[in-house]
Each structure stands twice: as structure tokens, then as C-alpha cells.
């Protein structure tokens, strides 16, 4: 398995975990709402209101995670490019990036990669740039040394 394939697999696993966690949370909230409704004959819905709010938030997070999962399915690990594109590993003099989605730090095979979104501030600085491009971000000067 190539490094790109491993990174994509890790991203997918982390998003799957998010989806699973949000589904579990949604189910717990639904159960709480049902038990609150059954035991609440006084007409006091302050508890239900907060639960409904939590349910809405978690449903939105779940939908976002599902969209990220769909987005990751667009990444092709066998495409090579001289410019940084979706699915590229971009090595710089400071750190290594994997242009995919905002997952954060990934330790892999004695190397560290940061999975970032194309839409993130650093992703915007990297996308469509070739090797030897330099840029500044957070007071650091970066030089793209390799694109895989």
C-alpha cells in the first residue's frame, strides 16, 4: 500500500469514527427525549428543549461528517501531478501536508503528515502550486520541496 493510500485510509477511518460517534449520540438523545416525554406530564419542556437543540446540533455534525466521507471518495491515490492538488502529499521544509480534509496530525511510517482541507488557509496557499514555491504562514517561511 502506498503512503497516499495509507493516508486516505486513515482519513476515511477517522471520518467513519466521527459518523459512528454522532449516530450513537443522536440515538442517545432520541432515547432521552422519549423518556423525558413519557415522564413529563407537568408541561415543563425546558429539558426537552435542550435535548432537541442537542439533537439538531448532532444531526448537523453527522450530516457534515457524511459530506466529508463523500468528498474523500473523490480522492484518487493513483493520480500524479507536478502541482499540489486534492490527494497530493506536499512536503515542505517545515512539515508535510496531505491535501484531503481537515483531520489534523497523522503519524505514519516514522513520518508526520497534516491532513488539511483545500479550503483551509494553508490549503489555499498550497493548492495548484509547484515544487520550489515559497510562501509564509503564521510567521513561518515554507518552501515546497516535493509533491507526491
Amino acid at each position: 500500500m502506498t503512503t497516499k493510500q495509507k493516508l486516505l485510509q486513515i482519513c476515511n477511518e477517522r471520518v467513519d469514527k466521527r459518523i459512528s460517534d454522532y449516530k450513537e449520540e443522536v440515538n442517545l438523545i432520541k432515547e432521552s427525549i422519549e423518556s423525558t416525554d413519557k415522564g413529563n406530564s407537568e408541561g415543563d419542556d425546558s429539558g426537552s428543549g435542550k435535548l432537541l437543540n442537542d439533537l439538531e446540533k448532532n444531526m448537523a455534525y453527522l450530516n457534515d461528517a457524511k459530506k466529508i466521507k463523500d468528498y474523500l471518495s473523490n480522492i484518487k491515490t493513483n493520480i500524479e501531478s507536478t502541482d499540489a492538488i486534492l490527494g497530493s502529499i506536499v512536503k515542505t521544509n517545515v512539515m508535510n501536508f496531505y491535501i484531503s480534509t481537515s483531520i489534523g496530525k497523522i503519524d505514519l511510517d516514522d513520518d508526520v503528515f497534516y491532513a488539511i482541507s483545500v479550503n483551509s488557509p494553508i490549503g489555499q496557499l498550497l493548492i495548484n502550486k509547484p515544487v520550489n514555491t515559497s510562501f509564509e504562514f503564521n510567521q513561518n517561511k515554507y518552501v515546497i520541496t516535493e509533491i507526491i
Side-chain angles (χ1 to χ4, degrees), residues 1-140:
M1 192 180 282
T2 67
T3 302
K4 275 186 180 183
Q5 290 169 328
K6 289 177 186 176
L7 287 168
L8 182 57
Q9 181 180 3
I10 290 167
C11 288
N12 273 304
E13 287 169 359
R14 290 193 186 171
V15 171
D16 287 342
K17 172 88 170 86
R18 282 185 193 171
I19 290 170
S20 172
D21 290 349
Y22 290 134
K23 281 182 178 176
E24 191 176 317
E25 189 66 24
V26 163
N27 287 333
L28 286 171
I29 293 169
K30 284 180 178 178
E31 287 173 16
S32 293
I33 289 171
E34 287 173 17
S35 67
T36 301
D37 286 347
K38 288 177 187 166
N40 190 357
S41 58
E42 313 276 310
D44 172 27
D45 346 306
S46 59
S48 289
K50 181 177 178 344
L51 287 171
L52 287 171
N53 205 11
D54 289 346
L55 178 64
E56 233 173 72
K57 267 195 266 182
N58 279 282
M59 291 293 287
Y61 296 150
L62 176 59
N63 286 333
D64 288 345
K66 286 179 178 178
K67 286 177 189 169
I68 291 169
K69 182 75 175 167
D70 289 342
Y71 182 74
L72 287 174
S73 70
N74 294 318
I75 296 176
K76 307 295 178 236
T77 57
N78 58 347
I79 294 178
E80 292 183 24
S81 174
T82 55
D83 295 339
I85 60 171
L86 181 65
S88 291
I89 294 171
V90 181
K91 295 189 173 193
T92 72
N93 60 317
V94 179
M95 59 182 62
N96 303 320
F97 298 97
Y98 177 55
I99 302 176
S100 53
T101 190
S102 297
I103 296 290
K105 184 179 177 182
I106 298 174
D107 291 302
L108 179 66
D109 300 335
D110 298 326
D111 228 335
V112 176
F113 298 89
Y114 289 88
I116 59 166
S117 164
V118 169
N119 297 321
S120 68
I122 193 113
Q124 289 291 297
L125 294 171
L126 290 173
I127 200 72
N128 298 320
K129 301 296 188 301
V131 170
N132 294 325
T133 300
S134 61
F135 60 93
E136 279 192 41
F137 184 74
N138 286 344
Q139 289 90 40
N140 288 318

